[in-house]
């Protein structure tokens, strides 16, 4: 597994992890969080998280699930402390208009830093309020300029970044050529619904030449599902 991209020495190495149903959905059409995997996969995800400098989600996930994105296992937290790190990775939210509620769990639960990426359209008052809890970085005019923001994270010393979703953010990262690896746990349920979130939502890619290409690194059964580990082949910015 490589660290950092030679072309962009400051940019973090990006690992996406999601759990999806057998029909490729991340949650229901109501965007309600669903238990897709079991204890063994939770533990794998916790270790993956603990091994990263930062963990990132889009504002859609914060508003839908209100996650804390903390490391749950005591052993994982102890390992981080021994390495002189905060117990939890830096928690990062992509949120152009600064819609995150100031009482969101991600801003309050567990020790460690928070970073919120906003664009110029965020209200200065809300940005000032968020600065009590997080470092706020302005990147982009309308939506967050993900490449520019990842460069900022790199310059803050973040070398390895885990992305938990959702599908809109992941599509934006893939489109910008910023994803290095993807783990997809596929569980034994069908959620259905043509508007239910998937791994890559957004506008999608229209031509074969613009599809992101992957190399399968590993596939193995975990409990009642299967874990696929992909490498994203070198891609130029697809937008
Ligand atoms: P999301 O991907 O979490 O957040 C998307 C939002 O990020 C956009 O709507 C946009 O909102 C903001 N954003 C800002 N700049 C962006 C850019 N350059 N590219 C892309 N997005 C940008 O939201 P979602 O797609 O609605 O996903 C949420 C759903 O996914 C929930 O139902 C959640 O339960 C599910 N989920 C499932 C898993 C799983 O592993 N099963 C994991 C995570 C989430 P603004 O314009 O307001 O900035």
């Amino acid at each position: 597994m490589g660290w950092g991209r030679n072309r962009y020495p400051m940019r973090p190495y990006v690992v996406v992890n999601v759990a999806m149903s057998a029909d490729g959905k991340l949650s229901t059409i109501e965007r309600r969080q669903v238990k897709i995997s079991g204890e063994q996969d939770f533990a794998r995800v916790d270790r993956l998280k603990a091994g990263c400098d930062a963990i990132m989600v889009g504002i859609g996930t914060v508003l839908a699930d209100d996650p804390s994105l903390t490391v749950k296992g005591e052993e994982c937290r102890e390992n981080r402390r021994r390495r002189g790190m905060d117990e939890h990775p830096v928690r990062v939210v992509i949120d152009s208009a600064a819609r995150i509620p100031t009482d969101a769990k991600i801003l309050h639960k567990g020790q460690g830093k928070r970073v919120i990426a906003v664009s110029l359209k965020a209200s200065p008052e809300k940005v000032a309020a968020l600065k009590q809890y997080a470092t706020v970085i302005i990147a982009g005019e309308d939506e967050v300029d993900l490449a520019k923001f990842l460069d900022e994270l790199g310059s803050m010393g973040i070398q390895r970044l885990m992305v938990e979703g959702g599908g809109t953010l992941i599509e934006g990262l893939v489109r910008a050529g910023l994803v290095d690896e993807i783990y997809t746990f596929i569980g034994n349920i069908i959620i259905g619904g043509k508007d239910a979130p998937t791994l890559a939502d957004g506008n999608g890619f229209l031509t074969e030449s613009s599809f992101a290409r992957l190399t399968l690194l590993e596939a193995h059964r975990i409990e009642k599902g299967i874990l696929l580990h992909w490498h994203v082949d070198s891609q130029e910015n697809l937008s």
Side-chain angles (χ1 to χ4, degrees):
M1 202 181 313
W3 283 72
R5 296 167 163 237
N6 292 336
R7 278 181 303 155
Y8 308 104
M10 296 300 278
R11 212 169 267 174
Y13 192 84
V14 175
V15 181
V16 167
N17 183 84
V18 295
M20 61 169 69
S21 58
D23 56 325
K25 310 296 186 187
L26 304 190
S27 63
T28 68
I29 53 166
E30 294 169 324
R31 291 183 139 56
R32 194 167 45 79
Q33 197 175 20
V34 183
K35 188 171 183 294
I36 295 174
S37 57
E39 290 309 313
Q40 213 179 313
D41 196 58
F42 275 134
R44 175 194 65 83
V45 175
D46 208 40
R47 287 192 299 274
L48 187 64
K49 193 187 298 173
C52 288
D53 301 306
I55 176 157
M56 180 161 103
V57 289
I59 183 62
T61 297
V62 173
L63 296 176
D65 302 348
D66 195 17
S68 66
L69 303 182
T70 50
V71 174
K72 305 295 184 293
E74 176 47 36
E75 202 181 316
C76 287
R77 290 202 299 265
E78 172 60 24
N79 271 339
R80 287 182 60 92
R81 284 195 296 269
R82 268 205 302 269
R83 287 154 60 202
M85 302 165 88
D86 285 331
E87 280 194 345
H88 310 288
V90 177
R91 279 157 289 161
V92 180
V93 181
I94 303 296
D95 181 14
S96 316
R99 291 190 286 150
I100 185 169
T102 51
D103 63 352
K105 279 193 196 134
I106 202 167
L107 297 177
H108 298 278
K109 210 169 160 199
Q111 172 213 16
K113 299 186 185 70
R114 281 83 170 169
V115 177
I116 301 178
V118 301
S119 72
L120 285 169
K121 77 179 183 192
S123 98
E125 293 75 25
K126 183 68 180 285
V127 167
L130 289 174
K131 281 184 176 168
Q132 291 179 59
Y133 312 103
T135 301
V136 181
I137 293 178
I138 302 175
E141 289 195 7
D142 190 23
E143 63 174 14
V144 174
D145 180 331
L146 296 170
K148 195 170 164 188
F149 175 62
L150 259 58
D151 287 343
E152 290 275 350
L153 286 183
S155 68
M156 293 166 70
I158 289 168
Q159 296 185 319
R160 192 168 171 83
L161 171 67
M162 176 175 169
V163 178
E164 274 231 340
T168 309
L169 174 61
I170 295 170
E171 197 259 6
L173 289 165
V174 170
R175 182 175 294 282
L178 296 170
V179 179
D180 295 284
E181 290 179 26
I182 302 176
Y183 288 91
T184 49
F185 175 83
I186 304 173
N188 63 327
I189 51 172
I190 289 179
I191 296 177
K194 70 178 169 58
D195 294 326
T198 70
L199 174 74
D201 292 326
N203 294 326
F205 306 109
L206 300 183
T207 58
E208 283 201 26
S209 62
S210 66
F211 297 163
R213 304 276 164 185
L214 313 177
T215 298
L216 185 62
L217 299 176
E218 211 184 343
H220 68 268
R221 195 176 171 141
I222 298 184
E223 293 164 326
K224 293 177 177 169
I226 186 161
L227 177 69
L228 303 179
H229 182 192
W230 302 98
H231 178 263
V232 182
D233 299 339
S234 170
Q235 37 173 161
E236 295 307 320
N237 189 322
L238 298 171
S239 50

